[in-house]
Amino acid sequence: MQVPDGYPAPLNQAALAATWGDAWSSIGQRAPAGLLAELMTAWAEPHRRYHDQRHLRECLALWVRWRDQSHRPGELALALWFHDAVYDTGDTEGGGNEMRSAAWAARSLARAGADSDVAQRVYDLVISTVHATQHDAPTTPGLNPDEQLLMDIDLSILGSPAERFERYDQDVRAEYAWVPELRYRQSRAQVLQEFFDRPRLYHGQAARALLEDQARVNLATVLRRLGQ
């Protein structure tokens, strides 16, 4: 499947299903019965506004484009399918959602009969998304190329076109509607300022070429607004 240049449109249903089949075929297994429906239900939970099926479809659109950069593309695709499968905005300490999502992935792979090393690598990929919000993420030591690529895909929204970024920013606020306005603005500004202060936002050359400049513009715009 060819994906046009520029920030990708979300995959349609057929293309999304194809990534699921391709991922399992690449590891020589069949998905457990009902698992795809369970995941799609999880990604459609009513409290999700940004971390929803559109985010999943956008991430997998970039996987389609960049899969040749991956050492184990099927494992990377499965990690993307699971990376926000559990999403609770009450996880204010950070890491709990990722751990539960990774555990779900590992259990599913074990149930399908996948080798333990495959399950461990997918688990580690999902866990690596914790690093995406760390201050020094692009220079975090020890990340393998697939972990770096997954992080670039997960953070691609920062470099999306301005209109899409504005919708993302509004949707994140909606997910945290329970947080008082002043507290939210302060916390959000801190998180985005840490992104803006990084020497670079993305690991890979393709991600930097596509996303880096627009991400700087987007972040500067919302930081100005939050500071008003």
Side-chain angles (χ1 to χ4, degrees):
M1 175 182 175
Q2 293 295 319
V3 177
D5 292 339
Y7 193 79
L11 294 183
N12 62 30
Q13 190 63 31
L16 184 70
T19 69
W20 179 253
D22 288 350
W24 287 96
S25 294
S26 75
I27 65 168
Q29 302 294 334
R30 297 182 63 181
L35 179 58
L36 176 58
E38 292 174 22
L39 277 171
M40 293 300 286
T41 297
W43 282 94
E45 291 168 334
H47 67 276
R48 297 172 183 253
R49 293 295 186 273
Y50 168 64
H51 295 86
D52 59 3
Q53 289 186 12
R54 177 169 180 171
H55 173 55
L56 175 67
R57 293 167 187 269
E58 287 175 337
C59 285
L60 285 163
L62 279 172
W63 173 81
V64 170
R65 179 181 300 179
W66 292 339
R67 63 180 298 170
D68 290 345
Q69 300 178 31
S70 174
H71 290 194
R72 295 182 174 90
E75 294 176 14
L76 178 60
L78 288 172
L80 286 167
W81 269 96
F82 279 96
H83 80 284
D84 283 326
V86 177
Y87 186 70
D88 175 8
T89 61
D91 179 30
T92 55
E93 298 300 316
N97 288 329
E98 291 84 356
M99 290 183 66
R100 289 189 288 274
S101 297
W104 187 3
R107 288 195 308 271
S108 299
L109 284 158
R111 186 154 56 101
D115 291 342
S116 59
D117 57 341
V118 173
Q120 184 65 56
R121 284 194 296 268
V122 174
Y123 178 94
D124 291 343
L125 280 167
V126 176
I127 290 293
S128 74
T129 60
V130 175
H131 295 294
T133 56
Q134 292 181 347
H135 177 70
D136 60 347
T139 56
T140 299
L143 294 177
N144 66 47
D146 278 358
E147 289 169 340
Q148 293 177 358
L149 181 54
L150 185 146
M151 289 170 60
D152 284 351
I153 291 173
D154 192 26
L155 291 181
S156 62
I157 191 65
L158 299 180
S160 61
E163 183 178 358
R164 174 66 181 116
F165 182 85
E166 285 296 316
R167 172 66 183 273
Y168 148 76
D169 195 50
Q170 294 167 12
D171 287 343
V172 171
R173 181 64 182 110
E175 287 183 340
Y176 288 88
W178 54 272
V179 179
E181 181 67 16
L182 179 58
R183 177 183 164 197
Y184 178 82
R185 291 172 69 91
Q186 291 172 338
S187 297
R188 182 71 168 157
Q190 180 180 353
V191 169
L192 296 183
Q193 187 67 55
E194 288 178 355
F195 280 125
F196 190 78
D197 289 343
R198 293 178 183 179
R200 66 180 190 275
L201 289 160
Y202 300 100
H203 296 86
Q205 182 177 353
R208 291 198 298 273
L210 176 64
L211 304 166
E212 186 84 25
D213 289 348
Q214 185 61 43
R216 298 286 172 190
V217 172
N218 292 336
L219 289 170
T221 299
V222 73
L223 284 167
R224 283 195 300 270
R225 183 166 65 240
L226 289 168
Q228 292 175 352

